[in-house]
Amino acid sequence: AQSVSQHNHHVILSEAASLELGCNYSYGGTVNLFWYVQYPGQHLQLLLKYFSGDPLVKGIKGFEAEFIKSKFSFNLRKPSVQWSDTAEYFCAVMRGGATNKLIFGTGTLLAVQP
Amino acid sequence: KAGVTQTPRYLIKTRGQQVTLSCSPISGHRSVSWYQQTPGQGLQFLFEYFSETQRNKGNFPGRFSGRQFSNSRSEMNVSTLELGDSALYLCASRAASGSTGELFFGEGSRLTVL
């Protein structure tokens, strides 16, 4: 069965520090990859997505992610975090084809200290 | 345009009762999917509807059911509630199943089972 692993459950950073959140998935076929963010008290929002093409994708708020097919990874990065980035981050995988079924990772809670 | 609207936002039920949750997708979106979010299991896919047809179903017991109406609005029902059904139930809509468009999430219906 498909699964998505997020290696860090809790991350604490100071403002201006660099961020990298790991995400690995287990599925050998065509996949679409996503990072979602959930700010405190708000709904899930899409940060970025990968469907095809350039494996380095840029999203909103300065986030980017790199798809490395050989490693089944889709790590999220941001060069300099801000206090407002405090949120829970979810990696998700969707099999290619006519489906909206997302398999989510367990999430990473990021706390940015001012 | 208005986002994905879920009602009710909060509800409390007792074991053995049943509950119906409603989701109005973004105008023009025909694909609706449902997810359950709990602290222990994270975000799990329940089912997906497109043009009133269930396209995909997650690994949940038959007590969980759903439907979609001709106006794309969707409902999910949970019968014979158990304590473990306490969760945030999220609805997401998309323009069409399998499209590369973004999946938009609602704020969720928080169900507490006593």
Side-chain angles (χ1 to χ4, degrees):
Chain A
Q2 274 181 284
S3 67
V4 178
S5 299
Q6 290 184 241
H7 315 299
N8 314 98
H9 296 293
H10 293 94
V11 173
I12 301 173
L13 294 173
S14 298
E15 274 193 317
S18 64
L19 170 72
E20 180 158 2
L21 300 181
C23 173
N24 286 87
Y25 64 93
S26 64
Y27 180 66
T30 302
V31 292
N32 301 321
L33 300 158
F34 305 81
W35 276 96
Y36 280 87
V37 62
Q38 193 169 32
Y39 297 103
Q42 295 189 27
H43 59 278
L44 277 170
Q45 299 172 46
L46 182 68
L47 266 181
L48 46 80
K49 61 185 179 183
Y50 172 81
F51 279 79
S52 63
D54 189 344
L56 184 62
V57 292
K58 294 191 184 299
I60 60 171
K61 305 187 180 187
F63 286 91
E64 65 178 31
E66 185 175 13
F67 170 50
I68 304 179
K69 190 174 181 180
S70 60
K71 294 184 178 180
F72 297 89
S73 70
F74 190 56
N75 292 354
L76 180 71
R77 299 194 291 251
K78 185 170 183 179
S80 176
V81 295
Q82 300 171 310
W83 176 79
S84 58
D85 293 325
T86 295
E88 190 158 19
Y89 292 81
F90 295 91
C91 179
V93 171
M94 181 186 294
R95 287 172 63 175
T99 178
N100 286 337
K101 179 180 179 180
L102 282 169
I103 307 297
F104 282 91
T106 51
T108 298
L109 204 54
L110 171 66
V112 180
Q113 298 175 327
Chain B
K1 54 184 176 183
V4 178
T5 305
Q6 292 188 243
T7 57
R9 291 290 313 282
Y10 302 91
L11 66 165
I12 300 173
K13 293 284 187 179
T14 56
R15 278 181 299 176
Q17 287 187 309
Q18 66 96 27
V19 67
T20 299
L21 308 177
S22 179
C23 171
S24 293
I26 290 172
S27 177
H29 284 192
R30 296 168 62 195
S31 178
V32 172
S33 44
W34 289 88
Y35 292 81
Q36 181 196 63
Q37 187 176 19
T38 59
Q41 300 296 319
L43 282 149
Q44 293 186 289
F45 172 81
L46 279 158
F47 23 66
E48 170 194 350
Y49 289 89
F50 178 74
S51 293
E52 302 177 66
T53 302
Q54 189 179 85
R55 295 291 294 266
N56 222 328
K57 191 177 191 310
N59 199 21
F60 279 81
R63 300 185 296 107
F64 291 80
S65 63
R67 58 179 175 168
Q68 186 180 32
F69 302 95
S70 58
N71 61 359
S72 295
R73 191 177 69 84
S74 178
E75 288 182 347
M76 68 162 280
N77 185 77
V78 187
S79 62
T80 321
L81 284 166
E82 301 177 359
L83 295 178
D85 297 333
S86 294
L88 181 67
Y89 290 89
L90 296 170
C91 172
S93 78
R94 201 182 203 187
S97 184
S99 74
T100 56
E102 180 178 343
L103 199 61
F104 291 87
F105 283 84
E107 293 188 334
S109 293
R110 186 167 293 281
L111 169 66
T112 301
V113 182
L114 303 176

